[in-house]
Amino acid sequence: MPEGHTLHGLARDQTDRFAGKRVQVSSPQGRFAEGAALVDGRVLDSVTAHGKHLFAAFGERIVHVHLGLFGKYVAGQGSPPEARGALRMRWVVDGFWTDLRGATACEVLTPAEAEAILARLGPDPLRRRPNADAAYARISRSRAPIAGLLMDQKVLSGVGNVYRAEILFRHQIAPYLPGRELTQDQWAALWSDLVTLMRAGLRTGRIVTTLPLHRGRRSGYVRAADAHYVYRRTGLPCRICGTPVAMRLLSLRKLYWCPTCQAGPLPPPVSHQV
DNA sequence: GCAAAATGTCAAG
DNA sequence: TTGACCTTTTGCA
């Protein structure tokens, strides 16, 4: 479930289990065979996440992974299971293993190449000192819809389709509002809420955005069906006002919102709806 | 047994 | 702006 919190969680767990050890790196599928040979048996320094990118430093050789839409890590203790299917990369140390499948990117980079990727990324709400002003500088100059800007990794990094829909709902911002019409106050509130939500996502391993509704409940647990306001709730009544949740494709990604709670600029006319 | 969907990015035109 | 691509899981026949 790769939005930013997932990657930060992976970076933390992989560092805990593998850093400081010589890691057996392999590519049973073969697609990463050359890269694996470059780092196999070297000592892992640490794994860090920037937005949705992972960087595992083996000295000057950096394994860069981007999960894309389908990528997935599976990890376990003891000895690894027999390799099956399209297993792109496997790490093994004494007592732990982890397998990577389906990633968009899995490659060995030089430090300079890794830096070049970082240079393209906007501030990440989950990093230590993110520069939220840099994101607003871009947003406030753009005529593009805010819903698209939030998913643009050059503007800010780590936000995916779930967080963007939910954060806009929570702040009652119309998704098609041009970035330049978002006020500084709206941005400040939105950003600080993003930091809170994504930190909670990192802590719990899931995205729950409806929590304030459930304050005061004895159990903090929120059922999956209740975890979001609008994401994947097309046609269901808005939890606040009852209006059916709307859905449109924006840049090929499904965008969900409540037309009443998030009143404002309308999407362009429908020519073709999936 | 097969089609569709899924939390994303990049490059061609 | 559109399609290609990475793989697994789910749902329907």
Side-chain angles (χ1 to χ4, degrees), chain A residues 14 82 137 187 189 195 201 214 242 262:
Chain A
Q14 292 181 356
E82 190 178 339
W187 168 250
V195 171
H214 297 264
Q262 299 169 263

Short mmCIF file of all heavy atoms in Angstrom, two decimals, chain A residues 14 82 137 187 189 195 201 214 242 262:
data_model
loop_
_atom_site.label_atom_id
_atom_site.label_comp_id
_atom_site.label_asym_id
_atom_site.label_seq_id
_atom_site.Cartn_x
_atom_site.Cartn_y
_atom_site.Cartn_z
N GLN A 14 13.64 -2.08 7.79
CA GLN A 14 14.81 -2.66 7.11
C GLN A 14 16.09 -2.22 7.79
O GLN A 14 17.04 -3.00 7.91
CB GLN A 14 14.79 -2.28 5.63
CG GLN A 14 13.62 -2.94 4.89
CD GLN A 14 13.58 -2.60 3.41
OE1 GLN A 14 14.39 -1.81 2.91
NE2 GLN A 14 12.64 -3.20 2.70
N GLU A 82 11.31 -20.87 -0.10
CA GLU A 82 11.82 -21.12 -1.45
C GLU A 82 11.36 -20.01 -2.38
O GLU A 82 10.21 -19.58 -2.31
CB GLU A 82 11.29 -22.47 -1.94
CG GLU A 82 11.95 -22.95 -3.22
CD GLU A 82 11.41 -24.31 -3.65
OE1 GLU A 82 10.88 -25.01 -2.77
OE2 GLU A 82 11.53 -24.63 -4.84
N ALA A 137 4.90 27.57 -2.46
CA ALA A 137 5.39 28.47 -3.51
C ALA A 137 4.97 27.94 -4.88
O ALA A 137 4.54 28.70 -5.75
CB ALA A 137 6.91 28.59 -3.41
N TRP A 187 -3.54 26.46 3.26
CA TRP A 187 -2.37 25.60 3.07
C TRP A 187 -1.75 25.20 4.41
O TRP A 187 -1.42 24.04 4.64
CB TRP A 187 -1.32 26.29 2.20
CG TRP A 187 -0.02 25.57 2.24
CD1 TRP A 187 1.13 25.99 2.82
CD2 TRP A 187 0.25 24.26 1.71
NE1 TRP A 187 2.11 25.03 2.69
CE2 TRP A 187 1.59 23.96 2.01
CE3 TRP A 187 -0.53 23.33 1.02
CZ2 TRP A 187 2.18 22.75 1.65
CZ3 TRP A 187 0.06 22.13 0.66
CH2 TRP A 187 1.40 21.85 0.96
N ALA A 189 -3.09 24.92 7.31
CA ALA A 189 -3.93 23.95 8.02
C ALA A 189 -3.83 22.58 7.36
O ALA A 189 -3.71 21.54 8.02
CB ALA A 189 -5.38 24.43 8.04
N VAL A 195 0.74 16.19 8.11
CA VAL A 195 1.81 15.69 8.97
C VAL A 195 1.22 14.79 10.05
O VAL A 195 1.70 13.68 10.31
CB VAL A 195 2.61 16.86 9.59
CG1 VAL A 195 3.58 16.35 10.66
CG2 VAL A 195 3.34 17.64 8.51
N GLY A 201 -0.42 7.28 10.28
CA GLY A 201 -0.35 6.16 9.35
C GLY A 201 0.92 5.36 9.53
O GLY A 201 0.92 4.12 9.47
N HIS A 214 -14.45 9.58 15.74
CA HIS A 214 -14.57 8.44 16.64
C HIS A 214 -13.98 8.72 18.02
O HIS A 214 -13.90 7.86 18.85
CB HIS A 214 -13.86 7.22 16.02
CG HIS A 214 -14.52 6.80 14.76
ND1 HIS A 214 -15.45 5.80 14.70
CD2 HIS A 214 -14.41 7.27 13.50
CE1 HIS A 214 -15.87 5.66 13.46
NE2 HIS A 214 -15.25 6.54 12.70
N GLY A 242 -24.54 13.65 3.75
CA GLY A 242 -25.42 12.70 3.09
C GLY A 242 -25.43 12.76 1.57
O GLY A 242 -25.97 11.86 0.92
N GLN A 262 -17.50 20.04 -0.27
CA GLN A 262 -16.34 20.60 -0.97
C GLN A 262 -16.81 21.40 -2.19
O GLN A 262 -16.29 21.23 -3.29
CB GLN A 262 -15.38 19.48 -1.39
CG GLN A 262 -14.82 18.70 -0.21
CD GLN A 262 -14.09 17.45 -0.67
OE1 GLN A 262 -14.64 16.36 -0.67
NE2 GLN A 262 -12.83 17.61 -1.07
#
